[in-house]
Amino acid sequence: MPETTVLIPSYNGAKYIQSALQSVLSQKYTDYEILIIDDGSTDNTEELVKTLDNKRIRYYKNESNMGIVASLNRGLDLAKGKYIARMDADDLMLGDRLQSQVDFLEKNKNYGMVGCWYHTIDENGWIIHTRKTLTDHDTLRMSLIFRNQFAHSSVTMRTEIARKLRYDPEFQYCEDHDLWIRFSEVCKVTNLSILGLSYRWYSDNSCNRHQRDLKIRVLSLLSRELEKLDIIHSVEELKLHAAICFGLAGPFLSEAIKKEGLDQWICKILNSPVLNKRYGAKWLNDFHKKINDLFF
């Protein structure tokens, strides 16, 4: 049995899937299987995968297009590994990511999932920017209230926990953000300070194609998290929170009235009795001092 399952969902991913697979097969770590869940592709994905003729690759094709959440949950059920490492069919695995993440989880039993730093690249592979993600569990858990802190394709997680939590179809297109929040509630989470992924951002990737649905689901997710913290919020306050989540808070800071509203909203969140019980006033005050660097 392989120690790790590299789970790759794909829908019409023929353009990049061979390079994605080669990036995994180039890892020095070798105790893994690659599990591809083809979500009813109409291109030649299956043909390209089979030309690689590698015994580590297991290929399954959905009878119809079921969506990313159903495909991922099918992958959770079929995975043979103790760990599940996520990858997308248009991304590239870098360095010794698998070995580093598996070693970390082996040595740190109280951690259930681990991501890493990553490049964002365009459709031609040119680096757009590099994201050095947060590493401290408490800061990550707190920051997940505001914004996703993990690149989905950068994460390796314990299969046992992932199967219990599963991806939630209610949050399709932000299913990873929802899952990381729930992971952080039952175990510790972190990002390793290594570059382990090139995440491809281009007009035809899933996030771009489903922007409207994604934003609606994210608003629902953010509202749920605020309710869990006993933070009563208006529609306007939820819009402020969404602006932080989508990286749009900068324009608010350029207008005094909007800046004041944003500051008041952040103070309202940080005054939550639930958060004060969880972290303490001093920790939250220190977090407040860092908030501009984290989100603006």
Side-chain angles (χ1 to χ4, degrees):
M1 297 288 283
E3 183 175 41
T4 302
T5 295
V6 179
L7 174 56
I8 305 178
S10 179
Y11 176 66
N12 287 344
K15 184 174 182 179
Y16 297 111
I17 195 163
Q18 284 191 317
S19 57
L21 291 172
Q22 289 291 0
S23 75
V24 178
L25 293 169
S26 297
Q27 291 280 297
K28 292 180 182 178
Y29 174 82
T30 57
D31 194 2
Y32 65 86
E33 64 171 353
I34 299 175
L35 177 59
I36 300 172
I37 308 296
D38 185 334
D39 194 19
S41 293
T42 57
D43 62 8
N44 62 333
T45 293
E46 182 172 0
E47 176 187 344
L48 292 173
V49 169
K50 290 183 176 179
T51 59
L52 291 175
D53 192 26
N54 191 294
K55 293 180 179 179
R56 286 201 181 98
I57 299 174
R58 296 167 61 207
Y59 175 87
Y60 294 84
K61 187 170 185 176
N62 297 338
E63 291 183 4
S64 60
N65 182 251
M66 299 169 61
I68 183 68
V69 170
S71 296
L72 287 168
N73 283 333
R74 187 184 185 193
L76 295 184
D77 294 333
L78 291 170
K80 295 180 179 179
K82 175 181 177 182
Y83 303 112
I84 292 176
R86 276 285 290 110
M87 265 285 288
D88 283 332
D90 49 6
D91 294 339
L92 298 171
M93 194 174 285
L94 303 178
D96 293 327
R97 173 198 152 184
L98 288 180
Q99 187 71 67
S100 298
Q101 292 182 327
V102 169
D103 284 350
F104 179 87
L105 291 172
E106 284 288 296
K107 294 173 184 176
N108 297 274
K109 304 299 184 183
N110 54 338
Y111 282 81
M113 58 164 279
V114 55
C116 60
W117 295 353
Y118 60 94
H119 295 307
T120 299
I121 59 174
D122 65 16
E123 58 187 322
N124 298 311
W126 292 99
I127 296 173
I128 300 170
H129 63 78
T130 299
R131 179 79 187 276
K132 295 184 176 182
T133 42
L134 299 170
T135 58
D136 174 68
H137 165 75
D138 286 335
T139 307
L140 278 165
R141 186 180 181 189
M142 181 69 190
S143 297
L144 281 164
I145 298 167
F146 293 88
R147 185 182 296 171
N148 195 348
Q149 300 297 315
F150 297 87
H152 200 167
S153 288
S154 78
V155 165
T156 296
M157 48 193 163
R158 297 186 190 276
T159 305
E160 180 181 10
I161 299 175
R163 280 182 177 150
K164 287 179 181 177
L165 298 177
R166 304 186 72 76
Y167 290 93
D168 188 340
E170 183 177 345
F171 298 106
Q172 180 126 311
Y173 308 124
C174 61
E175 71 283 338
D176 55 330
H177 191 175
D178 164 65
L179 185 60
W180 312 149
I181 288 171
R182 292 185 287 120
F183 253 96
S184 73
E185 293 171 345
V186 300
C187 59
K188 285 193 169 186
V189 299
T190 189
N191 285 296
L192 299 186
S193 302
I194 60 167
L195 279 168
L197 175 74
S198 284
Y199 166 68
R200 200 179 301 272
W201 181 260
Y202 59 108
S203 59
D204 201 38
N205 75 356
S206 179
C207 287
N208 268 328
R209 284 187 287 110
H210 302 285
Q211 273 291 306
R212 183 177 180 277
D213 286 339
L214 182 148
K215 288 177 179 177
I216 291 171
R217 303 297 176 101
V218 168
L219 282 171
S220 176
L221 176 62
L222 295 175
S223 183
R224 183 196 71 183
E225 290 308 299
L226 293 170
E227 288 172 1
K228 282 160 60 175
L229 298 172
D230 292 334
I231 299 172
I232 298 172
H233 51 283
S234 66
V235 173
E236 290 305 313
E237 286 172 326
L238 186 59
K239 287 180 180 178
L240 283 174
H241 202 60
I244 299 171
C245 182
F246 294 122
L248 302 174
F252 285 87
L253 301 179
S254 63
E255 297 183 36
I257 295 176
K258 290 183 177 180
K259 182 180 185 302
E260 182 180 355
L262 190 62
D263 289 342
Q264 289 174 351
W265 171 240
I266 291 170
C267 287
K268 182 175 178 177
I269 293 173
L270 298 181
N271 284 328
S272 158
V274 177
L275 290 176
N276 275 270
K277 183 177 180 180
R278 181 186 300 168
Y279 295 108
K282 182 182 183 304
W283 190 95
L284 289 170
N285 185 55
D286 290 340
F287 181 85
H288 196 180
K289 292 176 182 177
K290 297 183 292 186
I291 209 161
N292 279 4
D293 292 334
L294 291 174
F295 305 123
F296 306 148

